[in-house]
Amino acid sequence: MKASPSRIAVAIGVAAVLLLVIVMSPMLMTSIPSFIGSGGGDPADCKPGAVQGEEVSDTGVSDIPERMLELYKKHGEKIGVQWNVLAAVGKRETDHGRSDLPGVKSGTNYAGAAGPMQFLISTWGGKAQLSMSEEFNGYASDGDGDGIGDVYNPADAILGAAKMLKRNGAPENVRRALFVYNRAWWYVDQVMEIAGKYAKSGEVKVPPEADPLCDEPIVAGAPNDLVKRILAYALAQRGKPYLWGGTGPDAFDCSGIIYMAYQSVGLSIPRTTFTQWPFGVRINPGQEQPGDLVFFNAGPGTGPDNPGHVGLVVSKGKMVEARCRLCGPIKVTTYDDRTSLVGFTRPLMNPDVLEQLKKLQNTL
């Protein structure tokens, strides 16, 4: 889509107004949260893959059977959860399948759980072994490619556990995911302690996009201080749950977090995805920048020109997203690989926003 002369004029105008407001307005220059610009994490820890690259400690090498370690790493990387957390669950549940207690190698225990990762049969798919061609709503998984989801097969069980942890908050909110796995905080504490011992770093790391210490380069890449503050607000909401209609402070929906991020700098934009889509000026793919909105054809009653889902661009290819109730907490995700992507808009180029910026300037 080629920009019209009027849109070019608007773009020039907003740049001038933004520069004036950013230089002169005390409200728009209030401090960014303390974790921004605090020095950041080790650059090596902020690279993609840093979590899965976590080295195994001597304790991990000596305690985890070689085949099980291979599976924890393989399926952790495939699904996107920390391998040492998977390993810690396997240790806490069945000593990596070495336990002879009922339900580990056959049958179920007193609670109805089975296999090395101790899945309730009801959550696995209703029975211990089933063809992956069958219809089911559980976590039954085929980790070795034989077409069968076998709760007693470590390859299948570990893949299923990885999926369950991912769905419930990992890798960003590991404690929440573990609590859903086994609803006891003492269990969560024990698993986290084991996971720390299995990693050479001695801790459970979160991925770069979930670590506040890695926010500095994201925020620094924003085009101006106003957008930096919008990003800082949105990034600070990571880990909070999705709530339809939510505008915080404890939970948000997809458009609610964006609405409140703009409110945080004194700007009012429409509240819902359906009204945010026509509000901003359309931006050609590849020309989007931090602070822009990215829209998707997702949800009931939506279409190519009526998108039902939205994210806030924080860097090229990355967005802050409150996706859905079962999709885990608010997090930074990628948008380039989404087949439902509809387009991008820039709210800061809307004439109403330009007027709001002028009024903010006039209140000085």
Side-chain angles (χ1 to χ4, degrees), residues 65-339:
E66 184 176 352
R67 174 57 179 162
M68 296 293 280
L69 179 59
E70 178 184 336
L71 291 172
Y72 294 136
K73 286 192 166 186
K74 174 184 177 181
H75 293 314
E77 181 174 6
K78 177 180 180 179
I79 301 302
V81 302
Q82 296 90 334
W83 70 262
N84 55 324
V85 173
L86 279 174
V89 171
K91 173 66 175 180
R92 177 60 185 77
E93 295 290 353
T94 67
D95 192 21
H96 306 299
R98 292 179 291 214
S99 173
D100 292 323
L101 291 173
V104 177
K105 299 178 177 65
S106 64
T108 63
N109 68 6
Y110 69 94
M117 304 302 279
Q118 290 291 278
F119 270 96
L120 293 174
I121 295 299
S122 60
T123 64
W124 183 254
K127 52 185 177 179
Q129 295 97 4
L130 67 164
S131 169
M132 297 307 293
S133 63
E134 296 183 46
E135 293 185 6
F136 62 92
N137 295 316
Y139 288 100
S141 302
D142 179 14
D144 59 3
D146 65 358
I148 302 296
D150 184 348
V151 75
Y152 303 108
N153 181 337
D156 297 350
I158 291 171
L159 177 57
K163 290 178 179 179
M164 186 174 186
L165 292 173
K166 177 74 171 183
R167 179 171 182 174
N168 291 299
E172 295 85 3
N173 194 335
V174 178
R175 291 184 62 84
R176 176 184 182 277
L178 289 171
F179 183 80
V180 176
Y181 199 96
N182 190 337
R183 294 181 179 276
W185 288 114
W186 57 261
Y187 174 88
V188 174
D189 292 338
Q190 290 181 5
V191 171
M192 293 293 285
E193 181 180 359
I194 296 168
K197 291 179 179 178
Y198 280 164
K200 185 166 284 188
S201 67
E203 60 186 0
V204 176
K205 292 186 176 181
V206 297
E209 58 267 28
D211 189 348
L213 293 178
C214 296
D215 284 349
E216 184 178 2
I218 294 178
V219 175
N224 52 58
D225 285 345
L226 181 68
V227 176
K228 287 180 181 179
R229 292 192 61 233
I230 292 172
L231 300 191
Y233 179 93
L235 290 168
Q237 312 313 313
R238 283 170 305 180
K240 294 181 180 180
Y242 174 94
L243 176 65
W244 187 83
T247 54
D250 299 320
F252 299 81
D253 66 9
C254 65
S255 56
I257 187 173
I258 295 169
Y259 174 77
M260 292 306 297
Y262 274 80
Q263 285 278 347
S264 73
V265 296
L267 297 176
S268 179
I269 66 172
R271 163 65 186 87
T272 68
T273 304
F274 297 115
T275 52
Q276 288 175 359
W277 169 243
F279 182 79
V281 173
R282 303 286 176 89
I283 301 298
N284 290 333
Q287 296 180 4
E288 72 275 9
Q289 63 185 27
D292 291 346
L293 309 189
V294 53
F295 292 85
F296 303 88
N297 180 10
T302 67
D305 198 41
N306 190 39
H309 181 59
V310 62
L312 176 69
V313 176
V314 295
S315 63
K316 190 58 66 76
K318 299 285 187 180
M319 63 181 171
V320 169
E321 177 186 32
R323 190 168 185 179
C324 72
R325 184 176 63 83
L326 297 178
C327 300
I330 294 168
K331 65 186 75 175
V332 174
T333 60
T334 60
Y335 58 76
D336 286 338
D337 57 353
R338 298 278 184 89
T339 57

